[in-house]
Amino acid sequence: MTGSTILYGKPIAEATENEVRRRAELLRNRIGRAPRLAAILVGDDPASRVYVRNKEAACQRAGLESHVHRLPTATSEEDLLSLIEQLNGDSNVDGILVQLPLPESIDERTVLDAIDPTKDVDGFHPLNVGLLAQGRPRFVPCTPLGILELLRSHQIDVAGCHAVVVGRSDIVGKPMALLLAQRRPAIEGGPANATVTIAHSRTPDLPTVTRQADLLVVAAGQPRMITADMVRHGAIVIDVGINRVDGKLVGDVDFESVREVSRAITPVPGGVGKLTVAMLLRNTLSAAEARAAATSSAV
Ligand code: NDP
């Protein structure tokens, strides 16, 4: 059987960009400037450079201003922290992101903790993580947020389903699991109320766990690790992985075999990855709208 629906990210990313453009224009007419994102790139990691370029281009398409601070690999933690402090205090900056990974000499945690939580459009600050854990999310990390949007757009209801998330990183796995288990959806009309299992590299007999999933989200960074025998018939499979194998991008799911057994599946590339940047735009716009509302109510 090859009846699996392919869940493409591009149309949803485009619709999100259009919506952000429309709201950014309204905001600009009101406050006299476009929402602004400050991105910080330290070092010359080629993948990070591409990601940052993509984010800049997306901002431009959606009518947001972006400014990338490109710093050399040898930048000290102190200098990076002082740049963040300056951006925190700049009332014309709505969102701040630090592209990861950082050079080893810099402590990632210290840097992310220094970002003003009201400008933390990646949703990595402990205050925003805490709000999400308490079921009152403000900024949600962009990749899991994109997955929520993908599920909502395809009217996939996960209430009462068993969701298995493979991976427990702070960026994808953990927030994904929290979001799926929320009592109230983090986005209106979005998925919530799943029964969630988190699997990781110390989970024994992973196939037995993944075969229980109605919804399987895989964010492990292991090329094609999920094969058809690990997936229940009729499951929905979301592949977050981006791995380069022999110069080709592949996911964590063996797409060709798993599409035979799943009800719906995301491709790599063209699935979740497309949505991550779109959600960054949305978070930046929300930050700008909240800032504008706070300023006008203070006057
Ligand atoms: P991390 O390396 O931070 O986390 C990987 C997680 O997977 C860890 O929790 C690890 O377990 C678990 N894991 C690794 N190997 C196995 C295994 N064999 N069996 C079960 N669990 C395993 O990665 P990220 O969460 O940052 O990213 C995951 C993938 O998603 C990567 O391919 C990355 O490139 C991609 N990605 C894609 C994005 C997009 O926009 N589409 C955005 C962000 C990431 P443990 O904790 O025990 O080590």
Side-chain angles (χ1 to χ4, degrees):
M1 184 195 78
T2 47
S4 191
T5 303
I6 313 291
L7 304 171
Y8 292 104
K10 196 173 172 196
I12 304 162
E14 282 174 357
T16 304
E17 268 186 24
N18 289 338
E19 170 68 8
V20 169
R21 191 181 314 109
R22 192 184 64 74
R23 277 166 51 190
E25 180 70 35
L26 287 176
L27 189 66
R28 194 177 34 201
N29 291 340
R30 197 146 61 82
I31 65 170
R33 67 168 180 84
R36 174 182 280 207
L37 173 70
I40 304 175
L41 173 62
V42 186
D44 50 12
D45 176 60
S48 294
R49 280 184 6 208
V50 172
Y51 290 143
V52 168
R53 248 199 334 265
N54 289 344
K55 290 170 187 177
E56 259 186 306
C59 281
Q60 203 172 18
R61 286 196 303 272
L64 308 191
E65 270 178 36
S66 63
H67 186 250
V68 180
H69 299 260
R70 292 184 166 83
L71 307 179
T73 311
T75 302
S76 68
E77 187 174 298
E78 201 188 346
D79 285 349
L80 179 54
L81 290 173
S82 96
L83 172 60
I84 290 173
E85 203 181 311
Q86 181 200 319
L87 296 170
N88 283 345
D90 185 340
S91 59
N92 288 322
V93 170
D94 301 298
I96 302 171
L97 82 79
V98 176
Q99 185 63 46
L100 303 178
L102 288 168
E104 271 175 18
S105 57
I106 298 178
D107 183 57
E108 200 170 285
R109 202 59 276 169
T110 306
V111 168
L112 296 178
D113 286 3
I115 295 174
D116 177 342
T118 68
K119 299 188 178 189
D120 170 40
V121 286
D122 263 338
F124 297 157
H125 189 281
L127 186 71
N128 289 319
V129 176
L131 288 171
L132 170 59
Q134 289 186 341
R136 45 187 186 134
R138 178 170 54 189
F139 293 118
V140 172
C142 299
T143 301
L145 184 59
I147 293 169
L148 290 192
E149 195 54 61
L150 185 83
L151 294 171
R152 170 170 73 174
S153 300
H154 288 272
Q155 294 169 334
I156 295 172
D157 183 11
V158 304
C161 290
H162 187 178
V164 174
V165 179
V166 183
R168 56 177 164 184
S169 71
D170 292 339
I171 294 173
V172 190
K174 237 183 270 171
M176 184 79 257
L178 280 171
L179 286 162
L180 292 170
Q182 300 264 329
R183 191 187 299 270
R184 280 195 311 273
I187 54 172
E188 208 185 314
N193 289 300
T195 302
V196 180
T197 299
I198 303 178
H200 45 75
S201 69
R202 305 289 293 272
T203 300
D205 194 5
L206 185 66
T208 299
V209 177
T210 56
R211 273 197 295 268
Q212 291 170 25
D214 303 303
L215 171 69
L216 179 60
V217 181
V218 192
Q222 304 292 326
R224 301 191 183 106
M225 69 174 279
I226 301 292
T227 45
D229 57 310
M230 298 170 75
V231 177
R232 243 195 51 190
H233 255 269
I236 290 153
V237 180
I238 307 292
D239 188 356
V240 184
I242 301 179
N243 310 286
R244 195 167 282 279
V245 177
D246 300 331
K248 208 177 140 206
L249 285 188
V250 299
D252 289 352
V253 175
D254 181 37
F255 182 80
E256 291 307 328
S257 73
V258 172
R259 72 182 294 190
E260 299 291 322
V261 294
S262 57
R263 170 149 73 90
I265 183 169
T266 57
V268 176
V272 173
K274 289 270 175 230
L275 291 164
T276 298
V277 177
M279 295 304 126
L280 173 69
L281 301 178
R282 186 190 277 176
N283 279 351
T284 304
L285 174 73
S286 301
E289 288 175 339
R291 180 163 303 280
T295 309
S296 69
S297 71
V299 175

